[in-house]
């Protein structure tokens, strides 16, 4: 079980920490209670019941979020979830090689993604479909990655988002280097054109050396970099307390920059905290670590079976903290949206999913020589020879290799 209360080293007589492979019943119960709250340091602006909590520190970062803006955030999350569910279904039908679900993490991605300015740069892992959506990437362009027909072919500079990164934690080094370049080129300061970088990774990636190296370099050079950790409680089958004795946001202290934990299922909290962190970076105050405390409601990928390592009770607890439902309840209770609005968004989401399905089913398979054409910018004699040998091999089949 993922339990912030168990992450700290226990006091004498307080009982053992949950480090055993099989947690005790008491540790399971403690974990459920702890994941229900996220700890005393959790920043939350919109409760699971849809109640808006005031915050003298972060409310100024939501001055422009009126009813219309909140409706737009709701729409973003509904559309992204619907696209995610459709993509998951298409993988099961053999149309995608694999899919990486984001179910339950919509608020963390939409909130943080909408906090970015056009001049900022985002470095995703492989689950940030919602962030890509907020950066203007057509969701159809994501499908090619998982259908194995292309490699993130959007305009990286134009959209302000780097290609997806499959190697766990590698994007943190890339982001640190990019942010250091922003610093060296004088793109930080108090003017409106100041830049910052945000890098996304999961709780499991915090056990990778690349992440810690990125922390060191960003800290030493005061790089304008927001480290955005989506702590969804599970690094595939390993719970977070098997990786850290402290809450993840507290790791920032060891590197000399601030860390903060936000309710990752609270889109307003994620928006405000990320805006604050990006502003700190743009002003030249160095990096910030955000731990978005959320939960992966589906499998790690479509090759995973989460029922083998986590309890259904834990999933049921988090269903009550759904990031979309809390915004829906808030909009309804405050009169900011009527049922007609919710019906329109649902209908739009269905159309969005239908377009994705039609596009995916009609995607042509790339020719076999394509695997050689996108490797190097300049011609390579060695690669050219490999291509010719491979094409000759395929040509030896009766159908010319068209299978």
């Amino acid at each position: 079980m993922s339990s912030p209360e168990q992450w700290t080293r226990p006091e004498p007589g307080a009982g053992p920490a949950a480090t055993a492979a099989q947690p005790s019943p008491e540790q399971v119960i403690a974990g459920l209670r702890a994941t229900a709250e996220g700890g005393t340091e959790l920043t939350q602006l919109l409760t699971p019941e849809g109640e808006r909590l005031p915050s003298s520190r972060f409310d100024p970062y939501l001055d422009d979020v009126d009813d219309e803006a909140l409706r737009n955030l709701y729409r973003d999350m509904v559309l992204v979830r619907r696209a995610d569910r459709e993509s998951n279904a298409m993988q099961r039908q053999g149309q995608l090689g694999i899919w990486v679900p984001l179910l339950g993490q919509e608020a963390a991605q939409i909130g943080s993604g909408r906090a970015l300015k056009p001049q900022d740069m985002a470095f995703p892992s492989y689950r940030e479909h919602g962030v890509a959506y907020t950066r203007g990437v057509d969701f159809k362009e994501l499908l090619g990655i998982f259908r194995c027909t292309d490699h993130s072919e959007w305009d990286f500079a134009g959209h302000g988002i780097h290609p997806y990164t499959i190697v766990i934690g590698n994007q943190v080094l890339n982001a640190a280097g990019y942010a250091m370049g922003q610093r060296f080129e004088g793109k930080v300061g108090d003017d409106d054109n100041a830049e910052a970088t945000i890098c996304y990774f999961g709780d499991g990636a915090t056990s990778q050396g690349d992440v810690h190296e990125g922390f060191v370099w960003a800290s030493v050079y005061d790089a304008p970099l927001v480290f955005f950790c989506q702590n969804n409680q599970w690094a595939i089958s390993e719970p977070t307390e098997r990786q850290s004795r402290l809450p993840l946001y507290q790791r920032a202290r060891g590197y000399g920059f601030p860390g903060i934990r936000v309710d990752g299922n609270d889109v307003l909290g994620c928006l405000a905290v990320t805006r604050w962190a990006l502003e700190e970076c743009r002003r030249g105050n160095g990096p910030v670590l955000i731990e978005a405390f959320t939960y992966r409601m589906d499998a790690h990928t479509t090759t995973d079976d989460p029922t083998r390592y986590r309890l259904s009770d834990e999933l049921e607890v988090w269903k009550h903290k759904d990031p979309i439902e809390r915004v829906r309840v808030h909009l309804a209770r405050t009169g900011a949206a009527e049922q007609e609005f919710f019906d329109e968004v649902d209908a739009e989401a269905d159309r969005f999913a239908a377009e994705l399905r039609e596009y995916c089913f009609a995607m042509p398979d790339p020719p076999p020589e394509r695997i050689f054409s996108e490797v190097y910018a300049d011609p390579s004699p060695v690669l050219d020879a490999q291509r010719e040998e491979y094409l000759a091999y395929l040509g030896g089949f009766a159908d010319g290799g068209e299978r």
Side-chain angles (χ1 to χ4, degrees):
M1 301 302 299
S2 185
S3 166
E5 293 176 355
Q6 298 291 334
W7 287 342
T8 55
R9 189 177 298 276
E11 297 295 328
T19 56
Q22 280 295 117
S24 68
E26 292 76 16
Q27 290 168 341
V28 170
I29 294 172
L32 287 173
R33 290 174 177 169
T35 53
E37 301 300 332
T40 57
E41 298 299 317
L42 186 76
T43 298
Q44 186 181 79
L45 302 182
L46 190 64
T47 71
E49 296 75 28
E51 179 185 358
R52 177 70 165 87
L53 301 178
S55 170
S56 58
R57 181 182 183 184
F58 291 111
D59 279 352
Y61 294 94
L62 298 176
D63 283 343
D64 62 332
V65 180
D66 54 13
D67 290 345
E68 181 180 2
L70 189 54
R71 287 194 295 269
N72 287 336
L73 291 172
Y74 174 84
R75 173 183 174 274
D76 287 343
M77 291 192 291
V78 171
L79 263 61
V80 167
R81 175 174 289 187
R82 186 68 178 84
D84 172 74
R85 295 295 83 199
E86 194 67 27
S87 300
N88 203 79
M90 287 191 290
Q91 191 283 329
R92 298 306 191 195
Q93 295 165 355
Q95 295 300 316
L96 300 177
I98 194 173
W99 183 250
V100 186
L102 61 73
L103 185 65
Q105 299 179 221
E106 295 87 357
Q109 295 193 17
I110 296 299
S112 62
R114 289 301 184 197
L116 294 165
K117 292 183 177 180
Q119 66 267 28
D120 296 330
M121 178 60 77
F123 284 76
S125 62
Y126 45 72
R127 198 186 303 274
E128 278 68 56
H129 320 315
V131 179
Y133 171 85
T134 66
R135 300 304 279 167
V137 176
D138 191 327
F139 213 95
K140 298 185 183 72
E141 294 185 87
L142 303 179
L143 297 180
I145 303 172
F146 300 98
R147 194 176 169 92
C148 306
T149 59
D150 60 64
H151 306 282
S152 308
E153 293 196 336
W154 57 82
D155 180 353
F156 313 137
H159 287 293
I161 183 169
H162 193 264
Y164 273 23
T165 303
I166 304 301
V167 179
I168 304 298
N170 180 252
Q171 71 276 13
V172 179
L173 287 177
N174 299 333
Y178 188 93
M180 287 166 60
Q182 290 174 314
R183 181 77 181 192
F184 295 155
E185 294 177 2
K187 295 182 178 179
V188 296
D190 293 329
D191 61 274
D192 293 337
N193 296 319
E195 298 181 9
T197 295
I198 189 168
C199 182
Y200 293 88
F201 52 93
D203 47 293
T206 63
S207 296
Q208 292 291 113
D210 286 3
V211 174
H212 295 276
E213 291 176 25
F215 285 178
V216 170
W217 283 94
S219 176
V220 169
Y221 285 92
D222 282 332
L225 176 55
V226 175
F227 297 102
F228 196 93
C229 175
Q230 293 179 85
N231 179 5
N232 64 19
Q233 314 293 316
W234 291 94
I236 307 183
S237 59
E238 290 298 317
T240 311
E241 74 266 10
R242 296 290 300 277
Q243 303 177 72
S244 178
R245 301 298 294 272
L246 288 172
L248 298 180
Y249 77 98
Q250 292 186 11
R251 287 186 169 185
R253 298 177 185 175
Y255 300 92
F257 54 85
I260 185 170
R261 171 184 281 174
V262 63
D263 183 348
N265 286 16
D266 172 8
V267 70
L268 292 181
C270 290
L271 175 63
V273 168
T274 307
R275 280 179 168 178
W276 163 78
L278 288 167
E279 185 175 294
E280 287 289 301
C281 291
R282 294 192 194 99
R283 290 180 175 177
N285 294 330
V288 176
L289 171 62
I290 298 175
E291 177 193 356
F293 195 77
T294 181
Y295 191 80
R296 168 168 57 80
M297 297 294 291
D298 203 345
H300 175 71
T301 71
T302 46
T303 63
D304 173 41
D305 179 8
T307 63
R308 299 184 64 181
Y309 55 80
R310 68 184 186 188
L311 301 175
S312 59
D313 289 351
E314 184 177 349
L315 186 64
E316 292 302 316
V317 168
W318 279 90
K319 284 182 179 179
H320 295 292
K321 305 180 184 303
D322 185 271
I324 296 178
E325 188 61 26
R326 68 177 67 185
V327 179
R328 179 188 180 96
V329 170
H330 178 78
L331 289 172
R333 285 181 177 175
T334 60
E338 302 293 338
Q339 186 60 44
E340 181 181 3
F341 166 77
F342 298 120
D343 292 342
E344 290 175 354
V345 172
D346 289 342
E348 182 181 1
D350 287 340
R351 293 192 299 271
F352 188 34
E355 291 172 4
L356 287 178
R357 173 172 287 273
E358 181 180 359
Y359 175 84
C360 185
F361 275 64
M363 288 176 69
D365 292 332
E369 60 268 23
R370 171 65 182 277
I371 63 175
F372 299 94
S373 65
E374 305 295 330
V375 180
Y376 297 113
D378 299 319
S380 166
V382 174
L383 193 65
D384 290 343
Q386 291 177 349
R387 182 185 65 245
E388 296 307 317
E389 180 181 357
Y390 180 65
L391 294 178
Y393 166 75
L394 292 180
F397 292 98
D399 59 1
E402 296 180 3
R403 298 190 173 193

